[in-house]
Amino acid sequence: MTTKAFDKPDYIKVQNADFDMAVEYQRLRDVEVSDGAVVVFVGLVREFSQDKHIKSMFLEHYPAMTEQALQTIVQEARDKWPLGKVSVIHRIGHLDANAQIVMVGVTSQHRNAAFAAAEFIMDYLKMRAPFWKKEMTTKGDFWVEAKASDNDAAAKW
């Protein structure tokens, strides 16, 4: 499990437990009064993927690599946009369909930077963070392969 202190600008955590959006939103708001924008993205385990009905998903990771990858992605966002606080929470383990899987939250003085940074972090997280996903479906269990659309999304940055 990776954690940074609550009073620091970045909060990066990989965990089995679900997260509470009210708590995470307040964590983002408690940093800088000059930030006028808060953007939060939450990804869920979809019930359908291509032609398969997903019952659940299992996520694995390599902790040392994952921590470094997430910190690097957040720093790259900071290098591109003027950001206040950044939060990234990613769950691992067994997750049922419709469960929260990931949260990216960003604050900035202006909305354009906050929206762009949140999208950038999510796009790069999907491509560069070492998580392995296995879908348990009505047609069997399948490891999730990288998608061309994810590559295209990251390439635009």
Side-chain angles (χ1 to χ4, degrees), residues 13 22 25-26 63 109-110 117 134 136:
K13 192 168 183 181
Y25 176 75
Q26 192 59 49
Q109 290 183 359
H110 302 287
K134 188 176 202 177
M136 280 57 95

Side-chain angles (χ1 to χ4, degrees), residues 8 15 19 27 37 46 53 55 66 82 87 90 121 125 128 130 140 147:
K8 300 219 175 162
Q15 63 189 35
F19 49 88
R27 185 189 322 276
R46 289 177 286 194
H53 180 264
K55 298 183 288 185
T66 305
S87 292
H90 204 296
I121 291 168
L125 187 150
R128 296 197 339 216
K147 296 177 186 165

Side-chain angles (χ1 to χ4, degrees), residues 71-89:
Q71 289 173 351
T72 298
I73 292 165
V74 168
Q75 185 57 52
E76 287 177 15
R78 287 193 170 285
D79 292 344
K80 290 178 174 288
W81 295 280
L83 304 178
K85 183 137 187 190
V86 177
S87 292
V88 177
I89 300 173

Side-chain angles (χ1 to χ4, degrees), residues 6-87:
F6 293 144
D7 61 343
K8 300 219 175 162
D10 298 333
Y11 181 76
I12 300 171
K13 192 168 183 181
V14 177
Q15 63 189 35
N16 288 95
D18 199 1
F19 49 88
D20 181 331
M21 278 306 304
V23 169
E24 299 311 325
Y25 176 75
Q26 192 59 49
R27 185 189 322 276
L28 288 164
R29 292 214 44 208
D30 284 345
V31 174
E32 184 63 50
V33 294
S34 66
D35 284 350
V38 178
V39 171
V40 178
F41 169 82
V42 175
L44 306 174
V45 177
R46 289 177 286 194
E47 287 191 60
F48 287 93
S49 178
Q50 298 168 343
D51 64 341
K52 299 178 292 248
H53 180 264
I54 298 172
K55 298 183 288 185
S56 61
M57 179 180 283
F58 185 79
L59 285 94
E60 295 180 359
H61 79 302
Y62 182 68
M65 287 175 56
T66 305
E67 176 182 350
Q68 183 60 46
L70 294 175
Q71 289 173 351
T72 298
I73 292 165
V74 168
Q75 185 57 52
E76 287 177 15
R78 287 193 170 285
D79 292 344
K80 290 178 174 288
W81 295 280
L83 304 178
K85 183 137 187 190
V86 177
S87 292

